[in-house]
Amino acid sequence: MALNLILPFALSIAVMLSSGPAVADAESAAVELQEAVLALDAGNFSEVVAQHPFIVVEFYAPWCGHCKELAPEYEKAASGLRNNDPPVVLAKVDAYDERNKELKDKFGVYSYPTIKIIKNEGSDVRAYGGPRDADGIVEYLKKQVGPASLELRSAEAAVHSITDKGVILVGVFPEFVGREYKNFMAVAEKMRADYDFFHTSDASILPRGDQMVKGPIVRLFKPFDELFADSEDFGEDALEKFIEVSGFPMVVTYDADPTNHKFLERYYSTPSAKAMLFVSFSDDRIESFKSQIHEAARQFSANNISFLIGDVADADRVFQYFGLRESDVPLLFVIASTGKYLNPTTDPDQIIPWLKQYIYGNLTPYVKSEPIPKVNDHPVKVVVADNIDDIVFNSGKNVLLEFYAPWCGHCRKFAPILEEIAISLQDDQDIVIAKMDGTANDIPTDFAVDGYPTIYFYSSTGKLLSYDGARTAEDITSFINKNRGPKAGAAVGVDDKTQTDAVEEEVTPSSSEPVKDEL
């Protein structure tokens, strides 16, 4: 079966990449945000946001380790920004509190912490893409609240501003007037959260490119690929597309550098096959690996494949998520709609030939699965990737299946309820209550698992329904009895079939709890 792997990972990538020191001990982990950070909730959120033309809001969960690491840095930054001109206000919302669920849903909070920059009374909302330390937060937000583009007047200023730490845009204009300049500034305002913008009337001060050009022209500087690119199309849509395409690396790098984080988020959220090469960056063959993966990206650019090279030293959570082993490094693998394909302990010269075999359809998908239990006689049956067909799809029974994560608080709370349901129905030979660890097994694409716990019901008549009702034994048992197929030996009447079809039309999949409590 095809595999559904990328979406949950895309949602959790920000948490996987969170920087900052580890929590030293339980006491320091309990440090709460202090008075410099405004405490918001559903009752005062709109009022406070309306009072501030520029406000930064952190959506956090009290138990989240990353939030606890961020708390003192966020507090220190808030203190440092209170007297900024113009002022920058930092606030927080407990997104785990059920009373703030509407706020969490409205702002698309799928991981903790999630930070949003909110401007113009809430009409302009942007993701925070900056550092997680106090000094970095302050520097980043001062740029966001100041002019969208700064003028470069000297070679010294250009050298200081155009660094190799990210993508930088410089507009070159004979005069700072006209349609081209106006559109450039509009795009700078719109995209300033992700890129640094500058403008100048003297191209000779710039470090790369044609230094004799008079403009109007936009020069994009980047620390990868061809190092710079020019565009003379000043239509706003065209300019945005130029920045997004030219400002994205041919091969994304997965390491601890925070400037790569926004590329990684976009990489994992793009609907394409993902080719990932993980290797130790201290390997004496690293330059050969980099050269070959870049050449593969050039050769296969038309095959809807996105490319990444990662340092295994920073990829422990990626390996855990995809069920991989560091002993397989150097490891090249592809995640696609047709499955996951692995080429462990590869050499540089194997990269392109192996990818050609993937493109030709000559590779067999790898399925991550826990071992099939030797004994599976508990009331709640254990499903793994290697036995899901036998227990769910081919058993001819009515199966309620929960997808859970071991770290998920909601799943732990639901566990005794699922056990209660299983015990109450264990004498019914036509019903199976089961669970599957979604982090340790590849999930078939038949199931849309965007969060944990996610509950599905597969009837003996072959109908797959998502359960989005109350998580009580009574409600779930009622749902099972209402949607189950006929008991063994019973005849199916017209009324029974009509009722079942009607129920299927009424039940629609929904997004369940966020994909992570914490990774």
Side-chain angles (χ1 to χ4, degrees):
M1 287 186 179
L3 308 177
N4 184 14
L5 299 171
I6 289 296
L7 179 57
F9 190 65
L11 294 175
S12 62
I13 189 68
V15 169
M16 288 190 175
L17 294 169
S18 295
S19 59
V23 180
D25 50 48
E27 182 177 355
S28 63
V31 174
E32 294 290 340
L33 301 177
Q34 302 298 320
E35 66 277 1
V37 177
L38 300 182
L40 306 183
D41 56 31
N44 66 358
F45 187 91
S46 296
E47 179 183 356
V48 173
V49 167
Q51 293 173 354
H52 301 282
F54 186 101
I55 185 169
V56 182
V57 181
E58 176 209 5
F59 294 88
Y60 73 98
W63 42 258
C64 167
H66 295 291
C67 302
K68 292 171 183 176
E69 292 175 15
L70 174 64
E73 301 296 322
Y74 196 67
E75 169 63 29
K76 184 178 177 181
S79 298
L81 288 167
R82 279 191 294 190
N83 298 321
N84 187 70
D85 185 20
V88 177
V89 177
L90 270 59
K92 62 171 182 175
V93 171
D94 181 353
Y96 198 67
D97 190 325
E98 189 65 26
R99 293 172 296 180
N100 298 323
K101 185 177 185 304
E102 288 190 13
L103 287 176
K104 180 184 72 174
D105 293 342
K106 177 181 178 180
F107 288 94
V109 178
Y110 300 111
S111 62
Y112 303 115
T114 290
I115 306 175
K116 300 287 186 178
I117 297 174
I118 304 176
K119 302 171 66 176
N120 303 326
E121 300 184 9
S123 62
D124 185 350
V125 181
R126 305 174 188 183
Y128 172 88
R132 299 294 177 94
D133 64 281
D135 291 341
I137 293 171
V138 169
E139 180 181 2
Y140 181 88
L141 291 177
K142 281 184 175 180
K143 288 182 179 179
Q144 299 307 309
V145 78
S149 177
L150 300 176
E151 183 181 358
L152 297 177
R153 300 180 179 179
S154 66
E156 291 76 16
V159 169
H160 175 76
S161 301
I162 302 171
T163 67
D164 60 355
K165 293 301 183 181
V167 175
I168 296 166
L169 283 304
V170 179
V172 179
F173 305 96
E175 297 180 295
F176 299 145
V177 294
R179 183 188 71 88
E180 291 87 354
Y181 177 73
K182 179 182 177 181
N183 287 355
F184 175 81
M185 296 302 287
V187 171
E189 178 62 38
K190 185 175 182 179
M191 304 182 75
R192 64 189 298 175
D194 295 317
Y195 306 95
D196 290 335
F197 288 82
F198 299 91
H199 56 277
T200 185
S201 59
D202 184 2
S204 68
I205 68 174
L206 303 179
R208 293 187 291 275
D210 183 358
Q211 295 180 317
M212 302 301 293
V213 68
K214 300 299 182 183
I217 195 170
V218 175
R219 183 158 294 161
L220 182 148
F221 295 91
K222 50 187 174 180
F224 47 80
D225 300 339
E226 69 273 30
L227 300 182
F228 78 93
D230 288 343
S231 176
E232 297 180 0
D233 190 339
F234 280 87
E236 288 190 33
D237 291 342
L239 188 52
E240 287 181 37
K241 185 174 182 180
F242 163 71
I243 294 171
E244 290 176 352
V245 173
S246 298
F248 192 77
M250 182 179 299
V251 177
V252 175
T253 300
Y254 193 118
D255 59 12
D257 187 345
T259 61
N260 288 323
H261 293 180
K262 62 176 176 288
F263 299 136
L264 286 163
E265 292 184 34
R266 178 175 162 187
Y267 173 85
Y268 283 111
S269 62
T270 301
S272 63
K274 306 288 184 290
M276 303 179 230
L277 172 65
F278 282 95
V279 61
S280 171
F281 280 16
S282 61
D283 191 310
D284 57 8
R285 301 170 296 168
I286 186 61
E287 293 306 319
S288 294
F289 277 114
K290 289 182 177 180
S291 174
Q292 288 298 304
I293 197 69
H294 276 83
E295 179 58 29
R298 282 188 288 270
Q299 287 192 27
F300 307 131
S301 60
N303 293 96
N304 195 32
I305 305 175
S306 300
F307 288 83
L308 174 149
I309 184 170
D311 187 354
V312 67
D314 299 310
D316 55 330
R317 292 181 179 179
V318 178
F319 275 55
Q320 180 182 6
Y321 181 87
F322 287 119
L324 306 172
R325 298 172 299 184
E326 289 190 22
S327 59
D328 291 332
V329 170
L331 172 65
L332 175 64
F333 67 104
V334 172
I335 303 292
S337 60
T338 53
K340 177 168 58 180
Y341 305 84
L342 266 66
N343 184 19
T345 58
T346 190
D347 291 321
D349 60 2
Q350 294 176 339
I351 291 174
I352 291 176
W354 186 81
L355 286 169
K356 285 182 179 178
Q357 292 303 306
Y358 160 72
I359 291 170
Y360 296 154
N362 295 335
L363 301 179
T364 301
Y366 165 85
V367 178
K368 177 178 70 174
S369 178
E370 293 179 291
I372 296 177
K374 294 181 179 179
V375 178
N376 204 1
D377 57 1
H378 291 288
V380 179
K381 307 306 177 187
V382 175
V383 172
V384 299
D386 285 344
N387 71 359
I388 192 169
D389 283 347
D390 293 336
I391 293 181
V392 179
F393 295 109
N394 300 331
S395 67
K397 297 185 178 183
N398 303 283
V399 184
L400 184 84
L401 177 61
E402 176 214 10
F403 295 96
Y404 73 96
W407 39 256
C408 169
H410 295 292
C411 302
R412 290 192 291 269
K413 183 178 179 180
F414 180 65
I417 299 173
L418 190 68
E419 184 83 8
E420 178 185 347
I421 297 168
I423 292 173
S424 70
L425 296 173
Q426 63 183 347
D427 293 333
D428 191 328
Q429 299 302 310
D430 293 330
I431 294 178
V432 176
I433 308 299
K435 63 181 180 180
M436 180 177 182
D437 183 347
T439 68
N441 298 275
D442 286 337
I443 301 171
T445 51
D446 304 77
F447 305 97
V449 180
D450 298 335
Y452 298 117
T454 291
I455 303 169
Y456 273 90
F457 181 75
Y458 188 75
S459 76
S460 61
T461 58
K463 294 178 179 178
L464 183 63
L465 306 175
S466 170
Y467 178 77
D468 60 355
R471 291 180 190 151
T472 66
E474 180 180 0
D475 286 302
I476 294 175
T477 301
S478 175
F479 176 84
I480 292 171
N481 289 327
K482 187 176 182 181
N483 293 285
R484 62 177 294 166
K487 294 185 178 181
V492 181
V494 174
D495 291 341
D496 294 328
K497 184 179 185 302
T498 302
Q499 180 182 13
T500 304
D501 288 344
V503 170
E504 183 184 31
E505 291 174 359
E506 292 172 0
V507 181
T508 56
S510 67
S511 59
S512 48
E513 296 296 335
V515 105
K516 68 201 70 54
D517 286 336
E518 179 187 358
L519 292 178

